[in-house]
Amino acid sequence: MPHPTTTTTTHARHKMPLKIAVLGAGGGIGQSLSLLLKTELRSTCLAADAAIHVALYDVNRDAVAGAGTDLSHINTPVTVTWHAAAAAAAADEDPLATCLRDATLVVIPAGVPRKPGMTRDDLFSINARIVTQLAHGIAAHCDLSRTFVLLISNPVNSLVPVLVETLVADSSSSTDPDIAKTIARRVFGLTQLDAVRASTFLHAALGCGPSDRVRVPVVGGHSGHTIVPLFTQASQSGAQDHKLRAKVLALSPEVLEQLVHRVQFGGDEVVKAKNGTGSATLSMAYAAAQVAQAFAELLLDLRPDLQDTLYANIGAFSNTDVAKQVTKITNGLAYVSLPLTITKDGIQAIDLQWAHNLSAEESKLWTTCVRELEGAIKH
Ligand code: NAD
Ligand code: LMR
């Protein structure tokens, strides 16, 4: 019988190891994400010549032990351990503490998913309790000046504030006088699934070839009208951007409107198709794995920074000149998803170029988004 925290593979490596904790690893997203981390981070592990350890945690003992054991049979150098809350009474130490200790990247897909007829906001009470409990664990067992936290659980728009506020409250005895800002620079809500959907749907609408990688910036939040895809600012790798934009602008207003609607309500499509058994898991795991890999590369010094659009406490940047522009553009929103540059010290820069290039229709979408986000943040 394997012990719930059995280490599957041990490789002596030369650099500081990286530990990634996945909280809620036994669920639909958690299991798929853990598989992608075990397999996709192989290249990161080898490029950095560093050990990568993925620690799985869930309150569902069978799910996390099953996933952990299953993953442990995959022959990549990424190490996997699993930690089940149900074993707490019997264990010498809280399994959440064991999972989180020394982790510098924490990904949270723990929480209840929607059923048809529900909004993401309907999940707030139950998932806020789960996220608050996990936040207490992170504050107690992680070094918040070094750790990045990525939240997947819904509703992202109002749970990221809960997560940040809990971490800050639990750090009131910190010796860092700027601990609240330190935390705000390192805690993010994941809205990448919207960008993945926008890219997929635009790609299909334009009939792009298999080798064309279309990127669509998506700003705002992660729910209905707070999701603002900027199709007119789509880009492609290489120097094809102007051709791509000309093709986007040649789409009829009706087609563009349908594309926007499909991205804003893409989650509903999956909830409906799953017919009461959950919401998007595989596409979310794909999106989260890409973000986690970029953070892994950052933490292992394979890149100096990363650029991504993430939901964060932008309000914490109120003293900088850029923040004045952000305040103007966002009407003073405390939390919003914007294109960010992130180094090992957390958010370093906010890219506002998108706001100066909005089409008339995108400006209207942004105004609606800001109004809805204001309500969600105050939840
Ligand atoms: P799921 O029910 O399949 O998995 C959730 C897991 O969380 C379960 O294994 C459960 O045991 C675990 N869990 C519950 N309470 C816990 C706790 N206190 N500590 C640790 N683990 C706990 O759900 P799912 O489909 O994986 O979705 C998870 C969440 O992600 C939902 O809230 C869903 O709405 C959200 N989601 C967000 C996005 C996004 O774009 N950000 C996309 C898809 C889903
Ligand atoms: C999604 O966009 O697919 C997720 O937020 C899950 C949901 O509830 O729609």
Side-chain angles (χ1 to χ4, degrees), residues 36-115:
L36 290 171
L37 296 177
K38 174 79 169 122
T39 52
E40 299 302 303
L41 292 188
R42 176 183 186 277
S43 55
T44 312
C45 199
L46 296 176
D49 194 21
I52 299 181
H53 168 184
V54 180
L56 315 182
Y57 173 83
D58 204 293
V59 290
N60 183 335
R61 182 186 163 75
D62 292 343
V64 76
T69 307
D70 201 354
L71 290 172
S72 75
H73 293 188
I74 297 175
N75 63 343
T76 69
V78 177
T79 299
V80 174
T81 61
W82 55 96
H83 314 269
D92 293 341
E93 191 185 40
D94 172 12
L96 180 59
T98 315
C99 175
L100 288 169
R101 184 160 304 111
D102 298 324
T104 49
L105 180 58
V106 180
V107 192
I108 311 179
V112 174
R114 282 197 286 165
K115 287 191 187 333

Side-chain angles (χ1 to χ4, degrees), residues 114 120 154 193 197 222 267 271 279-280:
R114 282 197 286 165
R120 293 179 184 84
N154 271 317
L193 178 52
R197 285 181 176 139
H222 177 66
V271 169
S279 56

Side-chain angles (χ1 to χ4, degrees), residues 47-336:
D49 194 21
I52 299 181
H53 168 184
V54 180
L56 315 182
Y57 173 83
D58 204 293
V59 290
N60 183 335
R61 182 186 163 75
D62 292 343
V64 76
T69 307
D70 201 354
L71 290 172
S72 75
H73 293 188
I74 297 175
N75 63 343
T76 69
V78 177
T79 299
V80 174
T81 61
W82 55 96
H83 314 269
D92 293 341
E93 191 185 40
D94 172 12
L96 180 59
T98 315
C99 175
L100 288 169
R101 184 160 304 111
D102 298 324
T104 49
L105 180 58
V106 180
V107 192
I108 311 179
V112 174
R114 282 197 286 165
K115 287 191 187 333
M118 292 173 82
T119 67
R120 293 179 184 84
D121 282 347
D122 293 333
L123 303 170
F124 178 77
S125 301
I126 186 161
N127 285 349
R129 273 200 296 279
I130 293 171
V131 166
T132 302
Q133 182 218 332
L134 296 173
H136 290 320
I138 295 167
H141 304 295
C142 295
D143 175 353
L144 292 177
S145 63
R146 293 198 315 131
T147 307
F148 287 105
V149 186
L150 308 178
L151 182 74
I152 295 172
S153 326
N154 271 317
V156 169
N157 293 354
S158 29
L159 286 186
V160 173
V162 169
L163 175 58
V164 170
E165 284 160 25
T166 308
L167 292 174
V168 170
D170 284 6
S171 310
S172 55
S173 58
S174 165
T175 51
D176 175 358
D178 278 332
I179 188 68
K181 280 192 184 169
T182 303
I183 290 169
R185 294 167 94 99
R186 312 183 70 86
V187 177
F188 305 103
L190 293 198
T191 55
Q192 272 68 23
L193 178 52
D194 304 315
V196 168
R197 285 181 176 139
S199 164
T200 307
F201 303 155
L202 182 64
H203 199 276
L206 295 179
C208 293
S211 62
D212 300 331
R213 288 200 61 202
V214 178
R215 210 188 133 267
V216 181
V218 183
V219 292
H222 177 66
S223 187
H225 293 114
T226 69
I227 300 170
V228 182
L230 305 175
F231 285 109
T232 66
Q233 297 182 32
S235 61
Q236 235 169 351
S237 39
Q240 299 301 313
D241 289 0
H242 62 287
K243 284 191 196 157
L244 178 72
R245 282 180 200 152
K247 281 197 205 168
V248 172
L249 293 174
L251 293 171
S252 70
E254 291 74 29
V255 169
L256 267 175
E257 200 180 314
Q258 281 162 12
L259 282 172
V260 168
H261 184 272
R262 197 162 176 217
V263 174
Q264 292 187 325
F265 297 94
D268 297 36
E269 262 185 49
V270 184
V271 169
K272 195 171 164 214
K274 291 201 173 182
N275 197 21
T277 60
S279 56
T281 52
L282 305 175
S283 49
M284 182 61 236
Y286 169 79
Q290 289 192 328
V291 182
Q293 182 160 25
F295 274 94
E297 289 169 3
L298 179 70
L299 287 162
L300 289 170
D301 296 318
L302 288 175
R303 52 160 83 211
D305 56 32
L306 66 88
Q307 270 91 32
D308 213 335
T309 303
L310 293 151
Y311 189 78
N313 184 4
I314 298 300
F317 296 85
S318 53
N319 293 333
T320 66
D321 283 345
V322 175
K324 286 189 189 130
Q325 290 181 57
V326 176
T327 305
K328 199 167 157 219
I329 291 164
T330 66
N331 200 25
L333 282 177
Y335 292 83
V336 62

